[in-house]
Amino acid sequence: MNTNTALLIVDAQYGFMPGGGLPVADGDAVVPVINRVAPLFANAVLTQDWHPANHVSFAANHPGRQPFETMLLPYGEQVLWPIHCVQGTRDAALHDDLQVPQAQLVIRKGFHPAVDSYSAFIEADRKTTTGLAAYLLARGITSLYLCGLATDYCVAWSALDARAAGFDVVVIEDACRAIDLNGSLEKAWADMASAGVKRIQSSSLLQGNLP
Ligand code: VGL
Ligand code: ZN
């Protein structure tokens, strides 16, 4: 197994699965796919959306605002979401059926009340780092395979920031599901393609195109 490669499992949490606070259609379908590819990786990192109850991204914290509207915040345009992944709740827990025992780090993000963080690398103010790039660099990891939720938000933003930080980046498409808000999925794939993010299916990995 290639020790320069890591699987980055983005937000595989109950909050983004059917019954969760911000359910992604078919979101729980990623779990068995992730479990199938995970044994191919010597290194794995998980992310966990981890919001305080007063988080700025929650529509409920802006009187008169509804989920899925956008709002201009000091750092730019923010989609207002339903309450999801509140710290310490079941909604924020990683799915119990995930089987990635070799995972070495859980990066929590979105914990600053006034700043969202779709990306596993840099928060939505585009300045505050999560420390993940420095961690991967220190570990000698140069290549990342992404999976999880949601394709068009946290997976895409993480993939783009990983490319900007100099990593080789591959998104395992069928190990992800999307929110797809106002064309966000198509835009995410276009942005990722222009940035040099590769797109594969888990079957190709399992057939021996090993990382
Ligand atoms: C996400 C919206 C808000 C994600 C997280 O994991 O894609 N999307 N918080
Ligand atoms: Zn969130």
Side-chain angles (χ1 to χ4, degrees):
M1 271 187 280
N2 188 340
T3 55
N4 301 326
T5 297
L7 182 65
L8 180 60
I9 303 165
V10 176
D11 297 2
Q13 296 166 264
Y14 286 110
F16 301 114
M17 307 212 184
L22 173 41
V24 177
D26 211 21
D28 51 348
V30 304
V31 174
V33 185
I34 295 170
N35 289 347
R36 277 198 294 278
V37 298
L40 303 173
F41 293 86
N43 301 301
V45 172
L46 299 137
T47 72
Q48 197 172 19
D49 213 37
W50 195 250
H51 299 308
N54 65 348
H55 197 248
V56 70
S57 77
F58 296 166
N61 292 328
H62 303 278
R65 297 306 199 106
Q66 297 302 315
F68 308 108
E69 291 179 9
T70 56
M71 181 175 180
L72 193 60
L73 294 181
Y75 57 76
E77 185 112 311
Q78 170 71 48
V79 179
L80 298 178
W81 302 107
I83 294 168
H84 65 278
C85 298
V86 172
Q87 294 169 359
T89 65
R90 183 75 176 153
D91 205 61
L94 297 167
H95 198 291
D96 287 339
D97 296 343
L98 270 182
Q99 286 165 20
V100 194
Q102 78 275 37
Q104 296 149 354
L105 176 73
V106 180
I107 282 276
R108 288 174 167 170
K109 60 184 181 62
F111 52 78
H112 290 121
V115 187
D116 205 359
S117 190
Y118 300 144
S119 168
F121 293 88
I122 305 171
E123 299 190 20
D125 60 5
R126 303 281 82 203
K127 289 198 264 283
T128 309
T129 176
T130 65
L132 180 57
Y135 167 86
L136 295 169
L137 194 67
R139 296 276 328 278
I141 290 164
T142 54
S143 172
L144 294 174
Y145 284 70
L146 272 65
C147 58
L149 303 169
T151 321
D152 42 346
Y153 285 92
C154 290
V155 174
W157 283 56
S158 298
L160 293 169
D161 283 352
R163 282 295 298 146
F167 296 94
D168 288 326
V169 182
V170 180
V171 172
I172 311 168
E173 182 174 9
D174 60 318
C176 305
R177 290 293 183 281
I179 295 174
D180 203 8
L181 191 62
N182 305 318
S184 55
L185 182 58
E186 200 187 343
K187 180 179 186 312
W189 281 122
D191 291 348
M192 289 192 281
S194 338
V197 174
K198 295 181 203 109
R199 174 177 179 173
I200 61 156
Q201 307 302 316
S202 63
S203 54
S204 141
L205 273 180
L206 294 164
Q207 279 157 19
N209 296 320
L210 293 180

